[in-house]
Amino acid sequence: MLIQDLRIVVICGGVGAARFLRGLLRVANPGNITGIVNTGDDMRLHGLAISPDLDTCTYTLADAINPETGWGLAGETWQARDTLERYGGQTWFGLGDRDLGTHLYRTQRLDEGATLTEVTAEIVAAWDLGLTLLPMTNDPVRTRVTIESGETLDFQRYFVERQHQDHVTSVAFDGIEAAVPSPGVLDSIAAADAIVIAPSNPFVSIAPVLGVPGIRDALAARREQTVCISPLIGGAAVKGPAADLARTLGHEVSATGVARLLADVAGHMVLDSIDVALADAVRETGVTPTVTDTMMRTPEIAAALASTTVNAVV
Ligand code: FO1
């Protein structure tokens, strides 16, 4: 089948997933693409409902992402934050004036009784993206990390306020036992021709999605059509704490370690050319390796990666 005709599901975290989706949209039919996005990073701040990974995927695909920061909107101004600063309000998590519009709209709609799935569909339509983005669940799930001191931190406190410098001893997803996959998640996994686990942090971005009851089993049933892309290149993360977390959580800090972590749901792995020597070790975990350039420096490289990744399982 031509890639244009394939129904493709992508399990998404933040930046790495957004860049991959942007490449995929160049080679596949947006109407056949469904992103299932992590909501464990979500938070309430200033009374506003904030969904960072949904927004990073949306803004990146709209070519509206802030290029300096990798989150929020381009051409941002910070007048509201400056006013907060004057009052000594919370400014550690920066909400730009344009980005605030998204949080105001989402909060209003949720308060009116809309689900996060419905609000996400409205926001994606307003940016005219063409694909479907689904939150992993409409129920509240909050990623929390416990650090060496024994203190447990909300994810954004760890990631942003403390610049993910802490030595993490465990990660938990509060509320996940009671969470239900949002409508369409399980059906899209069952119907997909190809399923991609995007190169997001496996411990704090992909793990919450797999942890929603029902999702991991649904993916395991499609293991031969599921391919993960290693977020570690040469034993390092492209961005963020994935390598640090692998180390402190006791996993091998390499593409092989990630293959082992996801081997029950992904029968295939795409790893970077730098890690070509790991291909045999990946194969020994029962995962079929494909080696290519996975550093998405340009949308063209992201598009080539998307084609190679989908072709690994169809
Ligand atoms: N990350 C930061 O490092 N500093 C910030 O001030 C910050 C603000 C922010 C606002 C909205 C949003 O959607 C994301 C924001 N992020 C910020 C990134 C965020 O922490 C990450 O996108 C994810 O939660 C981790 O992937």
Side-chain angles (χ1 to χ4, degrees), residues 142-164:
R142 293 295 174 266
T143 300
R144 292 166 58 78
V145 301
T146 300
I147 58 177
E148 210 163 21
S149 63
E151 191 183 356
T152 296
L153 304 170
D154 287 342
F155 178 76
Q156 297 297 353
R157 289 273 180 194
Y158 153 74
F159 188 82
V160 174
E161 192 172 40
R162 299 165 70 106
Q163 300 292 308
H164 50 82

mmCIF file with all atom_site columns, all heavy atoms in Angstrom, residues 142-164:
data_model
loop_
_atom_site.group_PDB
_atom_site.id
_atom_site.type_symbol
_atom_site.label_atom_id
_atom_site.label_alt_id
_atom_site.label_comp_id
_atom_site.label_asym_id
_atom_site.label_entity_id
_atom_site.label_seq_id
_atom_site.pdbx_PDB_ins_code
_atom_site.Cartn_x
_atom_site.Cartn_y
_atom_site.Cartn_z
_atom_site.occupancy
_atom_site.B_iso_or_equiv
_atom_site.pdbx_formal_charge
_atom_site.auth_seq_id
_atom_site.auth_comp_id
_atom_site.auth_asym_id
_atom_site.auth_atom_id
_atom_site.pdbx_PDB_model_num
ATOM 1   N N   . ARG A 1 142 ? -1.395 12.572 36.682 1.00 0.00 ? 142 ARG A N   1
ATOM 2   C CA  . ARG A 1 142 ? -0.324 13.535 36.925 1.00 0.00 ? 142 ARG A CA  1
ATOM 3   C C   . ARG A 1 142 ? 0.990  12.801 37.205 1.00 0.00 ? 142 ARG A C   1
ATOM 4   O O   . ARG A 1 142 ? 1.078  12.022 38.143 1.00 0.00 ? 142 ARG A O   1
ATOM 5   C CB  . ARG A 1 142 ? -0.675 14.414 38.136 1.00 0.00 ? 142 ARG A CB  1
ATOM 6   C CG  . ARG A 1 142 ? -1.875 15.342 37.892 1.00 0.00 ? 142 ARG A CG  1
ATOM 7   C CD  . ARG A 1 142 ? -1.589 16.386 36.829 1.00 0.00 ? 142 ARG A CD  1
ATOM 8   N NE  . ARG A 1 142 ? -2.779 17.183 36.502 1.00 0.00 ? 142 ARG A NE  1
ATOM 9   C CZ  . ARG A 1 142 ? -3.601 16.899 35.492 1.00 0.00 ? 142 ARG A CZ  1
ATOM 10  N NH1 . ARG A 1 142 ? -3.375 15.826 34.726 1.00 0.00 ? 142 ARG A NH1 1
ATOM 11  N NH2 . ARG A 1 142 ? -4.670 17.662 35.246 1.00 0.00 ? 142 ARG A NH2 1
ATOM 12  N N   . THR A 1 143 ? 1.959  13.069 36.326 1.00 0.00 ? 143 THR A N   1
ATOM 13  C CA  . THR A 1 143 ? 3.279  12.465 36.520 1.00 0.00 ? 143 THR A CA  1
ATOM 14  C C   . THR A 1 143 ? 3.974  13.134 37.706 1.00 0.00 ? 143 THR A C   1
ATOM 15  O O   . THR A 1 143 ? 3.996  14.375 37.791 1.00 0.00 ? 143 THR A O   1
ATOM 16  C CB  . THR A 1 143 ? 4.125  12.638 35.247 1.00 0.00 ? 143 THR A CB  1
ATOM 17  O OG1 . THR A 1 143 ? 3.437  11.987 34.171 1.00 0.00 ? 143 THR A OG1 1
ATOM 18  C CG2 . THR A 1 143 ? 5.512  12.030 35.400 1.00 0.00 ? 143 THR A CG2 1
ATOM 19  N N   . ARG A 1 144 ? 4.477  12.313 38.616 1.00 0.00 ? 144 ARG A N   1
ATOM 20  C CA  . ARG A 1 144 ? 5.209  12.866 39.764 1.00 0.00 ? 144 ARG A CA  1
ATOM 21  C C   . ARG A 1 144 ? 6.496  12.079 39.920 1.00 0.00 ? 144 ARG A C   1
ATOM 22  O O   . ARG A 1 144 ? 6.516  10.861 39.726 1.00 0.00 ? 144 ARG A O   1
ATOM 23  C CB  . ARG A 1 144 ? 4.338  12.736 41.033 1.00 0.00 ? 144 ARG A CB  1
ATOM 24  C CG  . ARG A 1 144 ? 3.103  13.652 40.960 1.00 0.00 ? 144 ARG A CG  1
ATOM 25  C CD  . ARG A 1 144 ? 2.057  13.317 42.013 1.00 0.00 ? 144 ARG A CD  1
ATOM 26  N NE  . ARG A 1 144 ? 2.533  13.382 43.389 1.00 0.00 ? 144 ARG A NE  1
ATOM 27  C CZ  . ARG A 1 144 ? 2.705  14.494 44.079 1.00 0.00 ? 144 ARG A CZ  1
ATOM 28  N NH1 . ARG A 1 144 ? 2.479  15.658 43.505 1.00 0.00 ? 144 ARG A NH1 1
ATOM 29  N NH2 . ARG A 1 144 ? 3.130  14.482 45.323 1.00 0.00 ? 144 ARG A NH2 1
ATOM 30  N N   . VAL A 1 145 ? 7.583  12.777 40.240 1.00 0.00 ? 145 VAL A N   1
ATOM 31  C CA  . VAL A 1 145 ? 8.864  12.095 40.386 1.00 0.00 ? 145 VAL A CA  1
ATOM 32  C C   . VAL A 1 145 ? 9.329  12.211 41.831 1.00 0.00 ? 145 VAL A C   1
ATOM 33  O O   . VAL A 1 145 ? 9.158  13.251 42.472 1.00 0.00 ? 145 VAL A O   1
ATOM 34  C CB  . VAL A 1 145 ? 9.946  12.671 39.430 1.00 0.00 ? 145 VAL A CB  1
ATOM 35  C CG1 . VAL A 1 145 ? 9.511  12.551 37.979 1.00 0.00 ? 145 VAL A CG1 1
ATOM 36  C CG2 . VAL A 1 145 ? 10.301 14.093 39.777 1.00 0.00 ? 145 VAL A CG2 1
ATOM 37  N N   . THR A 1 146 ? 9.877  11.109 42.353 1.00 0.00 ? 146 THR A N   1
ATOM 38  C CA  . THR A 1 146 ? 10.469 11.120 43.684 1.00 0.00 ? 146 THR A CA  1
ATOM 39  C C   . THR A 1 146 ? 11.979 11.246 43.520 1.00 0.00 ? 146 THR A C   1
ATOM 40  O O   . THR A 1 146 ? 12.565 10.544 42.691 1.00 0.00 ? 146 THR A O   1
ATOM 41  C CB  . THR A 1 146 ? 10.099 9.843  44.458 1.00 0.00 ? 146 THR A CB  1
ATOM 42  O OG1 . THR A 1 146 ? 8.663  9.790  44.565 1.00 0.00 ? 146 THR A OG1 1
ATOM 43  C CG2 . THR A 1 146 ? 10.723 9.848  45.856 1.00 0.00 ? 146 THR A CG2 1
ATOM 44  N N   . ILE A 1 147 ? 12.569 12.195 44.282 1.00 0.00 ? 147 ILE A N   1
ATOM 45  C CA  . ILE A 1 147 ? 14.006 12.440 44.128 1.00 0.00 ? 147 ILE A CA  1
ATOM 46  C C   . ILE A 1 147 ? 14.758 11.884 45.334 1.00 0.00 ? 147 ILE A C   1
ATOM 47  O O   . ILE A 1 147 ? 14.147 11.439 46.297 1.00 0.00 ? 147 ILE A O   1
ATOM 48  C CB  . ILE A 1 147 ? 14.282 13.948 43.942 1.00 0.00 ? 147 ILE A CB  1
ATOM 49  C CG1 . ILE A 1 147 ? 13.749 14.770 45.131 1.00 0.00 ? 147 ILE A CG1 1
ATOM 50  C CG2 . ILE A 1 147 ? 13.675 14.430 42.634 1.00 0.00 ? 147 ILE A CG2 1
ATOM 51  C CD1 . ILE A 1 147 ? 14.055 16.256 45.038 1.00 0.00 ? 147 ILE A CD1 1
ATOM 52  N N   . GLU A 1 148 ? 16.090 11.952 45.248 1.00 0.00 ? 148 GLU A N   1
ATOM 53  C CA  . GLU A 1 148 ? 16.962 11.286 46.234 1.00 0.00 ? 148 GLU A CA  1
ATOM 54  C C   . GLU A 1 148 ? 16.590 11.645 47.679 1.00 0.00 ? 148 GLU A C   1
ATOM 55  O O   . GLU A 1 148 ? 16.650 10.807 48.569 1.00 0.00 ? 148 GLU A O   1
ATOM 56  C CB  . GLU A 1 148 ? 18.406 11.713 45.972 1.00 0.00 ? 148 GLU A CB  1
ATOM 57  C CG  . GLU A 1 148 ? 19.447 10.680 46.346 1.00 0.00 ? 148 GLU A CG  1
ATOM 58  C CD  . GLU A 1 148 ? 20.780 11.004 45.676 1.00 0.00 ? 148 GLU A CD  1
ATOM 59  O OE1 . GLU A 1 148 ? 20.971 12.184 45.282 1.00 0.00 ? 148 GLU A OE1 1
ATOM 60  O OE2 . GLU A 1 148 ? 21.603 10.094 45.516 1.00 0.00 ? 148 GLU A OE2 1
ATOM 61  N N   . SER A 1 149 ? 16.155 12.888 47.871 1.00 0.00 ? 149 SER A N   1
ATOM 62  C CA  . SER A 1 149 ? 15.847 13.333 49.254 1.00 0.00 ? 149 SER A CA  1
ATOM 63  C C   . SER A 1 149 ? 14.597 12.645 49.783 1.00 0.00 ? 149 SER A C   1
ATOM 64  O O   . SER A 1 149 ? 14.246 12.783 50.951 1.00 0.00 ? 149 SER A O   1
ATOM 65  C CB  . SER A 1 149 ? 15.603 14.850 49.233 1.00 0.00 ? 149 SER A CB  1
ATOM 66  O OG  . SER A 1 149 ? 14.449 15.105 48.423 1.00 0.00 ? 149 SER A OG  1
ATOM 67  N N   . GLY A 1 150 ? 13.862 11.947 48.863 1.00 0.00 ? 150 GLY A N   1
ATOM 68  C CA  . GLY A 1 150 ? 12.595 11.328 49.266 1.00 0.00 ? 150 GLY A CA  1
ATOM 69  C C   . GLY A 1 150 ? 11.406 12.205 48.944 1.00 0.00 ? 150 GLY A C   1
ATOM 70  O O   . GLY A 1 150 ? 10.255 11.786 49.019 1.00 0.00 ? 150 GLY A O   1
ATOM 71  N N   . GLU A 1 151 ? 11.684 13.472 48.565 1.00 0.00 ? 151 GLU A N   1
ATOM 72  C CA  . GLU A 1 151 ? 10.602 14.398 48.217 1.00 0.00 ? 151 GLU A CA  1
ATOM 73  C C   . GLU A 1 151 ? 9.989  14.001 46.881 1.00 0.00 ? 151 GLU A C   1
ATOM 74  O O   . GLU A 1 151 ? 10.710 13.566 45.977 1.00 0.00 ? 151 GLU A O   1
ATOM 75  C CB  . GLU A 1 151 ? 11.208 15.815 48.110 1.00 0.00 ? 151 GLU A CB  1
ATOM 76  C CG  . GLU A 1 151 ? 10.215 16.949 48.014 1.00 0.00 ? 151 GLU A CG  1
ATOM 77  C CD  . GLU A 1 151 ? 10.938 18.296 47.826 1.00 0.00 ? 151 GLU A CD  1
ATOM 78  O OE1 . GLU A 1 151 ? 12.191 18.316 47.859 1.00 0.00 ? 151 GLU A OE1 1
ATOM 79  O OE2 . GLU A 1 151 ? 10.236 19.309 47.627 1.00 0.00 ? 151 GLU A OE2 1
ATOM 80  N N   . THR A 1 152 ? 8.653  14.119 46.782 1.00 0.00 ? 152 THR A N   1
ATOM 81  C CA  . THR A 1 152 ? 7.972  13.847 45.516 1.00 0.00 ? 152 THR A CA  1
ATOM 82  C C   . THR A 1 152 ? 7.549  15.174 44.892 1.00 0.00 ? 152 THR A C   1
ATOM 83  O O   . THR A 1 152 ? 6.971  16.022 45.577 1.00 0.00 ? 152 THR A O   1
ATOM 84  C CB  . THR A 1 152 ? 6.761  12.935 45.749 1.00 0.00 ? 152 THR A CB  1
ATOM 85  O OG1 . THR A 1 152 ? 7.237  11.670 46.220 1.00 0.00 ? 152 THR A OG1 1
ATOM 86  C CG2 . THR A 1 152 ? 6.005  12.695 44.444 1.00 0.00 ? 152 THR A CG2 1
ATOM 87  N N   . LEU A 1 153 ? 7.881  15.362 43.626 1.00 0.00 ? 153 LEU A N   1
ATOM 88  C CA  . LEU A 1 153 ? 7.630  16.624 42.937 1.00 0.00 ? 153 LEU A CA  1
ATOM 89  C C   . LEU A 1 153 ? 6.626  16.431 41.800 1.00 0.00 ? 153 LEU A C   1
ATOM 90  O O   . LEU A 1 153 ? 6.666  15.417 41.112 1.00 0.00 ? 153 LEU A O   1
ATOM 91  C CB  . LEU A 1 153 ? 8.938  17.132 42.304 1.00 0.00 ? 153 LEU A CB  1
ATOM 92  C CG  . LEU A 1 153 ? 10.156 17.331 43.226 1.00 0.00 ? 153 LEU A CG  1
ATOM 93  C CD1 . LEU A 1 153 ? 11.394 17.597 42.378 1.00 0.00 ? 153 LEU A CD1 1
ATOM 94  C CD2 . LEU A 1 153 ? 9.903  18.483 44.180 1.00 0.00 ? 153 LEU A CD2 1
ATOM 95  N N   . ASP A 1 154 ? 5.756  17.415 41.629 1.00 0.00 ? 154 ASP A N   1
ATOM 96  C CA  . ASP A 1 154 ? 4.945  17.438 40.404 1.00 0.00 ? 154 ASP A CA  1
ATOM 97  C C   . ASP A 1 154 ? 5.908  17.543 39.225 1.00 0.00 ? 154 ASP A C   1
ATOM 98  O O   . ASP A 1 154 ? 6.964  18.172 39.320 1.00 0.00 ? 154 ASP A O   1
ATOM 99  C CB  . ASP A 1 154 ? 4.007  18.657 40.403 1.00 0.00 ? 154 ASP A CB  1
ATOM 100 C CG  . ASP A 1 154 ? 2.857  18.461 41.400 1.00 0.00 ? 154 ASP A CG  1
ATOM 101 O OD1 . ASP A 1 154 ? 2.614  17.298 41.805 1.00 0.00 ? 154 ASP A OD1 1
ATOM 102 O OD2 . ASP A 1 154 ? 2.229  19.461 41.774 1.00 0.00 ? 154 ASP A OD2 1
ATOM 103 N N   . PHE A 1 155 ? 5.518  16.978 38.104 1.00 0.00 ? 155 PHE A N   1
ATOM 104 C CA  . PHE A 1 155 ? 6.426  16.884 36.969 1.00 0.00 ? 155 PHE A CA  1
ATOM 105 C C   . PHE A 1 155 ? 7.040  18.231 36.579 1.00 0.00 ? 155 PHE A C   1
ATOM 106 O O   . PHE A 1 155 ? 8.247  18.364 36.408 1.00 0.00 ? 155 PHE A O   1
ATOM 107 C CB  . PHE A 1 155 ? 5.725  16.270 35.743 1.00 0.00 ? 155 PHE A CB  1
ATOM 108 C CG  . PHE A 1 155 ? 6.623  16.216 34.553 1.00 0.00 ? 155 PHE A CG  1
ATOM 109 C CD1 . PHE A 1 155 ? 7.621  15.256 34.455 1.00 0.00 ? 155 PHE A CD1 1
ATOM 110 C CD2 . PHE A 1 155 ? 6.516  17.165 33.543 1.00 0.00 ? 155 PHE A CD2 1
ATOM 111 C CE1 . PHE A 1 155 ? 8.486  15.227 33.366 1.00 0.00 ? 155 PHE A CE1 1
ATOM 112 C CE2 . PHE A 1 155 ? 7.380  17.144 32.444 1.00 0.00 ? 155 PHE A CE2 1
ATOM 113 C CZ  . PHE A 1 155 ? 8.370  16.167 32.365 1.00 0.00 ? 155 PHE A CZ  1
ATOM 114 N N   . GLN A 1 156 ? 6.195  19.269 36.441 1.00 0.00 ? 156 GLN A N   1
ATOM 115 C CA  . GLN A 1 156 ? 6.728  20.542 35.943 1.00 0.00 ? 156 GLN A CA  1
ATOM 116 C C   . GLN A 1 156 ? 7.654  21.215 36.965 1.00 0.00 ? 156 GLN A C   1
ATOM 117 O O   . GLN A 1 156 ? 8.547  21.976 36.598 1.00 0.00 ? 156 GLN A O   1
ATOM 118 C CB  . GLN A 1 156 ? 5.583  21.481 35.541 1.00 0.00 ? 156 GLN A CB  1
ATOM 119 C CG  . GLN A 1 156 ? 4.716  20.977 34.405 1.00 0.00 ? 156 GLN A CG  1
ATOM 120 C CD  . GLN A 1 156 ? 5.443  20.798 33.083 1.00 0.00 ? 156 GLN A CD  1
ATOM 121 O OE1 . GLN A 1 156 ? 6.615  21.185 32.960 1.00 0.00 ? 156 GLN A OE1 1
ATOM 122 N NE2 . GLN A 1 156 ? 4.816  20.192 32.096 1.00 0.00 ? 156 GLN A NE2 1
ATOM 123 N N   . ARG A 1 157 ? 7.443  20.934 38.237 1.00 0.00 ? 157 ARG A N   1
ATOM 124 C CA  . ARG A 1 157 ? 8.367  21.477 39.253 1.00 0.00 ? 157 ARG A CA  1
ATOM 125 C C   . ARG A 1 157 ? 9.756  20.871 39.034 1.00 0.00 ? 157 ARG A C   1
ATOM 126 O O   . ARG A 1 157 ? 10.777 21.543 39.021 1.00 0.00 ? 157 ARG A O   1
ATOM 127 C CB  . ARG A 1 157 ? 7.884  21.124 40.664 1.00 0.00 ? 157 ARG A CB  1
ATOM 128 C CG  . ARG A 1 157 ? 6.650  21.872 41.092 1.00 0.00 ? 157 ARG A CG  1
ATOM 129 C CD  . ARG A 1 157 ? 6.976  23.214 41.708 1.00 0.00 ? 157 ARG A CD  1
ATOM 130 N NE  . ARG A 1 157 ? 5.774  23.929 42.110 1.00 0.00 ? 157 ARG A NE  1
ATOM 131 C CZ  . ARG A 1 157 ? 5.758  25.208 42.428 1.00 0.00 ? 157 ARG A CZ  1
ATOM 132 N NH1 . ARG A 1 157 ? 6.878  25.903 42.375 1.00 0.00 ? 157 ARG A NH1 1
ATOM 133 N NH2 . ARG A 1 157 ? 4.644  25.805 42.780 1.00 0.00 ? 157 ARG A NH2 1
ATOM 134 N N   . TYR A 1 158 ? 9.736  19.533 38.787 1.00 0.00 ? 158 TYR A N   1
ATOM 135 C CA  . TYR A 1 158 ? 11.003 18.822 38.533 1.00 0.00 ? 158 TYR A CA  1
ATOM 136 C C   . TYR A 1 158 ? 11.612 19.297 37.230 1.00 0.00 ? 158 TYR A C   1
ATOM 137 O O   . TYR A 1 158 ? 12.784 19.650 37.150 1.00 0.00 ? 158 TYR A O   1
ATOM 138 C CB  . TYR A 1 158 ? 10.714 17.306 38.488 1.00 0.00 ? 158 TYR A CB  1
ATOM 139 C CG  . TYR A 1 158 ? 11.674 16.486 37.657 1.00 0.00 ? 158 TYR A CG  1
ATOM 140 C CD1 . TYR A 1 158 ? 12.961 16.218 38.105 1.00 0.00 ? 158 TYR A CD1 1
ATOM 141 C CD2 . TYR A 1 158 ? 11.298 15.989 36.402 1.00 0.00 ? 158 TYR A CD2 1
ATOM 142 C CE1 . TYR A 1 158 ? 13.849 15.467 37.345 1.00 0.00 ? 158 TYR A CE1 1
ATOM 143 C CE2 . TYR A 1 158 ? 12.180 15.250 35.630 1.00 0.00 ? 158 TYR A CE2 1
ATOM 144 C CZ  . TYR A 1 158 ? 13.454 14.994 36.086 1.00 0.00 ? 158 TYR A CZ  1
ATOM 145 O OH  . TYR A 1 158 ? 14.333 14.271 35.329 1.00 0.00 ? 158 TYR A OH  1
ATOM 146 N N   . PHE A 1 159 ? 10.801 19.325 36.154 1.00 0.00 ? 159 PHE A N   1
ATOM 147 C CA  . PHE A 1 159 ? 11.305 19.534 34.802 1.00 0.00 ? 159 PHE A CA  1
ATOM 148 C C   . PHE A 1 159 ? 11.690 20.991 34.575 1.00 0.00 ? 159 PHE A C   1
ATOM 149 O O   . PHE A 1 159 ? 12.735 21.292 34.014 1.00 0.00 ? 159 PHE A O   1
ATOM 150 C CB  . PHE A 1 159 ? 10.237 19.109 33.781 1.00 0.00 ? 159 PHE A CB  1
ATOM 151 C CG  . PHE A 1 159 ? 10.728 19.109 32.363 1.00 0.00 ? 159 PHE A CG  1
ATOM 152 C CD1 . PHE A 1 159 ? 11.446 18.035 31.873 1.00 0.00 ? 159 PHE A CD1 1
ATOM 153 C CD2 . PHE A 1 159 ? 10.484 20.196 31.525 1.00 0.00 ? 159 PHE A CD2 1
ATOM 154 C CE1 . PHE A 1 159 ? 11.909 18.027 30.562 1.00 0.00 ? 159 PHE A CE1 1
ATOM 155 C CE2 . PHE A 1 159 ? 10.944 20.197 30.223 1.00 0.00 ? 159 PHE A CE2 1
ATOM 156 C CZ  . PHE A 1 159 ? 11.656 19.115 29.741 1.00 0.00 ? 159 PHE A CZ  1
ATOM 157 N N   . VAL A 1 160 ? 10.843 21.919 35.025 1.00 0.00 ? 160 VAL A N   1
ATOM 158 C CA  . VAL A 1 160 ? 11.049 23.336 34.701 1.00 0.00 ? 160 VAL A CA  1
ATOM 159 C C   . VAL A 1 160 ? 11.686 24.093 35.864 1.00 0.00 ? 160 VAL A C   1
ATOM 160 O O   . VAL A 1 160 ? 12.778 24.629 35.758 1.00 0.00 ? 160 VAL A O   1
ATOM 161 C CB  . VAL A 1 160 ? 9.709  24.000 34.325 1.00 0.00 ? 160 VAL A CB  1
ATOM 162 C CG1 . VAL A 1 160 ? 9.893  25.506 34.142 1.00 0.00 ? 160 VAL A CG1 1
ATOM 163 C CG2 . VAL A 1 160 ? 9.139  23.359 33.069 1.00 0.00 ? 160 VAL A CG2 1
ATOM 164 N N   . GLU A 1 161 ? 10.979 24.050 37.019 1.00 0.00 ? 161 GLU A N   1
ATOM 165 C CA  . GLU A 1 161 ? 11.470 24.892 38.120 1.00 0.00 ? 161 GLU A CA  1
ATOM 166 C C   . GLU A 1 161 ? 12.862 24.436 38.565 1.00 0.00 ? 161 GLU A C   1
ATOM 167 O O   . GLU A 1 161 ? 13.724 25.254 38.847 1.00 0.00 ? 161 GLU A O   1
ATOM 168 C CB  . GLU A 1 161 ? 10.505 24.852 39.301 1.00 0.00 ? 161 GLU A CB  1
ATOM 169 C CG  . GLU A 1 161 ? 10.822 25.922 40.332 1.00 0.00 ? 161 GLU A CG  1
ATOM 170 C CD  . GLU A 1 161 ? 9.764  26.021 41.421 1.00 0.00 ? 161 GLU A CD  1
ATOM 171 O OE1 . GLU A 1 161 ? 9.272  24.960 41.857 1.00 0.00 ? 161 GLU A OE1 1
ATOM 172 O OE2 . GLU A 1 161 ? 9.447  27.142 41.813 1.00 0.00 ? 161 GLU A OE2 1
ATOM 173 N N   . ARG A 1 162 ? 13.060 23.113 38.599 1.00 0.00 ? 162 ARG A N   1
ATOM 174 C CA  . ARG A 1 162 ? 14.358 22.604 39.060 1.00 0.00 ? 162 ARG A CA  1
ATOM 175 C C   . ARG A 1 162 ? 15.216 22.095 37.903 1.00 0.00 ? 162 ARG A C   1
ATOM 176 O O   . ARG A 1 162 ? 16.218 21.408 38.117 1.00 0.00 ? 162 ARG A O   1
ATOM 177 C CB  . ARG A 1 162 ? 14.130 21.519 40.110 1.00 0.00 ? 162 ARG A CB  1
ATOM 178 C CG  . ARG A 1 162 ? 13.380 22.060 41.337 1.00 0.00 ? 162 ARG A CG  1
ATOM 179 C CD  . ARG A 1 162 ? 12.829 20.911 42.193 1.00 0.00 ? 162 ARG A CD  1
ATOM 180 N NE  . ARG A 1 162 ? 13.893 20.179 42.855 1.00 0.00 ? 162 ARG A NE  1
ATOM 181 C CZ  . ARG A 1 162 ? 14.139 20.288 44.168 1.00 0.00 ? 162 ARG A CZ  1
ATOM 182 N NH1 . ARG A 1 162 ? 13.397 21.110 44.901 1.00 0.00 ? 162 ARG A NH1 1
ATOM 183 N NH2 . ARG A 1 162 ? 15.095 19.595 44.735 1.00 0.00 ? 162 ARG A NH2 1
ATOM 184 N N   . GLN A 1 163 ? 14.787 22.445 36.676 1.00 0.00 ? 163 GLN A N   1
ATOM 185 C CA  . GLN A 1 163 ? 15.588 22.186 35.471 1.00 0.00 ? 163 GLN A CA  1
ATOM 186 C C   . GLN A 1 163 ? 16.039 20.732 35.365 1.00 0.00 ? 163 GLN A C   1
ATOM 187 O O   . GLN A 1 163 ? 17.158 20.451 34.931 1.00 0.00 ? 163 GLN A O   1
ATOM 188 C CB  . GLN A 1 163 ? 16.826 23.106 35.474 1.00 0.00 ? 163 GLN A CB  1
ATOM 189 C CG  . GLN A 1 163 ? 16.448 24.595 35.476 1.00 0.00 ? 163 GLN A CG  1
ATOM 190 C CD  . GLN A 1 163 ? 15.787 25.022 34.171 1.00 0.00 ? 163 GLN A CD  1
ATOM 191 O OE1 . GLN A 1 163 ? 16.326 24.781 33.091 1.00 0.00 ? 163 GLN A OE1 1
ATOM 192 N NE2 . GLN A 1 163 ? 14.609 25.610 34.267 1.00 0.00 ? 163 GLN A NE2 1
ATOM 193 N N   . HIS A 1 164 ? 15.183 19.799 35.806 1.00 0.00 ? 164 HIS A N   1
ATOM 194 C CA  . HIS A 1 164 ? 15.408 18.340 35.804 1.00 0.00 ? 164 HIS A CA  1
ATOM 195 C C   . HIS A 1 164 ? 16.845 17.989 36.191 1.00 0.00 ? 164 HIS A C   1
ATOM 196 O O   . HIS A 1 164 ? 17.471 17.130 35.580 1.00 0.00 ? 164 HIS A O   1
ATOM 197 C CB  . HIS A 1 164 ? 14.971 17.656 34.505 1.00 0.00 ? 164 HIS A CB  1
ATOM 198 C CG  . HIS A 1 164 ? 15.455 18.252 33.206 1.00 0.00 ? 164 HIS A CG  1
ATOM 199 N ND1 . HIS A 1 164 ? 16.704 17.996 32.684 1.00 0.00 ? 164 HIS A ND1 1
ATOM 200 C CD2 . HIS A 1 164 ? 14.858 19.072 32.321 1.00 0.00 ? 164 HIS A CD2 1
ATOM 201 C CE1 . HIS A 1 164 ? 16.834 18.619 31.536 1.00 0.00 ? 164 HIS A CE1 1
ATOM 202 N NE2 . HIS A 1 164 ? 15.736 19.284 31.285 1.00 0.00 ? 164 HIS A NE2 1
#
